[in-house]
Amino acid sequence: MGAMLKILLDILAAPRLLWHHRSLVRQLVKRNITARYRGSILGLFWSFAHPLIMLAVYTFVFGIIFKARWGVESLDENRAAFSIIMFCGMALFNLFSESINSCGNLIVFHTNFVKKVIFPLEILPLCNVATSFFFGMAWFMLLLLGAVIFLDTLSWTLLLFPLTIIPLLLLTSGISLAVAAFGVYLRDIPQLVAVLMQILFFITPIIYPVSLVPERLQWIVWLNPLTPVVEESRKLLLYGQQPDYLICLYLFLFSLTVFQLGFACFVKMKKGFADVL
């Protein structure tokens, strides 16, 4: 009974921290949002311009030059289907990669906060993730708009999207916490993360369906936790299919574990931040 109580308290440690400092979290997220395009002429418009430019480039390369098809029988006759399906994977991967890439030097760039004993450093990576997810909503707004205009479809299954986006949020937050902590001690972390993100992009089924991967190598793709997130999200947002609930449960438990490990890692390692910085 005591062990179960300890596990429960550990799981609730991060939510309790965020709730206790909710006012500070709001201020930091607001600061991150306003700082993103401060001084920019187009401002928040870039949140929509960037994904549209990326979509146009990938559509030209894969949809027009390579004439790629996705293998979804009900959609492959539609020329825009490949672009929309690919865009869904890009939107999810962007949330993940942008959050983690921004955490490599996060603590190093906020040395003044490290010196403040009462400042909860754990919320810095979490606020970065929240900021990325805020701007990432532009990608999903464009995705749903594209699904309505080009695929003429929008299913009730999109209401089940939290089954995949919540695990992605937990997974991203856990890895971001670990990256932020290790970035204090290893200054090569940002460069290493950038390389790993490039590799991860190509072993995530974003620009190709899993079915195109040789069967003997598909296990590599499925070892990637982003693969089920992308595949199940496409079912919900584009195909109008219900997800595999067992996979969604696995995703949640795995992501929760990663989050707890990342949070525990950060809490333990932050004790030495002041000495290093």
Side-chain angles (χ1 to χ4, degrees):
M1 190 67 180
M4 290 292 292
L5 181 60
K6 185 179 184 304
I7 292 174
L8 181 61
L9 290 174
D10 288 342
I11 292 176
L12 294 176
R16 283 191 288 112
L17 178 72
L18 291 173
W19 177 254
H20 182 69
H21 297 284
R22 58 190 180 279
S23 178
L24 179 59
V25 170
R26 281 196 300 268
Q27 292 177 33
L28 288 174
V29 172
K30 184 178 179 180
R31 185 199 66 171
N32 291 345
I33 292 171
T34 55
R36 175 70 67 94
Y37 300 116
R38 182 179 296 152
S40 169
I41 296 175
L42 297 179
L44 282 173
F45 175 75
W46 283 113
S47 297
F48 295 91
H50 177 232
L52 283 174
I53 292 170
M54 295 300 296
L55 176 62
V57 171
Y58 278 93
T59 298
F60 177 74
V61 173
F62 294 99
I64 297 178
I65 297 179
F66 291 108
K67 302 184 185 303
R69 294 293 180 269
W70 204 266
V72 179
E73 188 175 343
S74 60
L75 296 177
D76 270 351
E77 295 302 317
N78 189 325
R79 291 186 177 182
F82 181 87
S83 301
I84 301 299
I85 295 171
M86 177 184 63
F87 190 71
C88 181
M90 289 172 58
L92 293 162
F93 185 83
N94 179 71
L95 292 179
F96 178 81
S97 62
E98 183 178 314
S99 299
I100 294 173
N101 279 327
S102 65
C103 285
N105 283 322
L106 183 62
I107 306 300
V108 176
F109 290 158
H110 291 84
T111 307
N112 55 320
F113 289 156
V114 176
K115 308 299 183 181
K116 297 179 180 179
V117 179
I118 60 172
F119 188 87
L121 293 172
E122 295 88 343
I123 69 174
L124 287 177
L126 298 179
C127 287
N128 257 33
V129 173
T131 303
S132 296
F133 271 64
F134 172 84
F135 286 110
M137 289 304 104
W139 289 69
F140 289 103
M141 290 170 63
L142 292 172
L143 174 66
L144 295 179
L145 184 63
V148 172
I149 295 175
F150 298 109
L151 304 184
D152 193 27
T153 180
L154 201 62
S155 173
W156 68 269
T157 54
L158 66 88
L159 298 176
L160 300 176
F161 189 41
L163 292 178
T164 55
I165 197 67
I166 290 176
L168 179 62
L169 175 61
L170 289 171
L171 178 68
T172 305
S173 298
I175 297 176
S176 295
L177 283 162
V179 168
F182 280 103
V184 176
Y185 299 94
L186 301 172
R187 300 302 170 88
D188 294 329
I189 287 292
Q191 290 75 26
L192 177 61
V193 168
V195 172
L196 291 177
M197 286 299 142
Q198 287 292 321
I199 296 172
L200 194 61
F201 178 85
F202 288 104
I203 60 173
T204 302
I206 297 172
I207 58 178
Y208 60 85
V210 178
S211 58
L212 284 184
V213 180
E215 286 190 17
R216 69 179 187 279
L217 298 176
Q218 284 188 11
W219 64 273
I220 299 175
V221 177
W222 283 108
L223 272 181
N224 174 7
L226 292 181
T227 296
V229 171
V230 171
E231 291 291 291
E232 296 304 312
S233 293
R234 283 174 175 149
K235 287 182 184 179
L236 299 172
L237 300 177
L238 302 178
Y239 306 158
Q241 301 173 0
Q242 292 194 50
D244 186 319
Y245 292 102
L246 191 60
I247 289 179
C248 289
L249 177 61
Y250 154 77
L251 275 174
F252 177 75
L253 294 177
F254 176 79
S255 300
L256 181 61
T257 301
V258 171
F259 176 76
Q260 290 300 126
L261 290 174
F263 186 78
C265 174
F266 190 96
V267 170
K268 186 172 183 178
M269 295 179 70
K270 76 171 186 177
K271 299 174 183 177
F273 287 176
D275 295 332
V276 176
L277 298 174

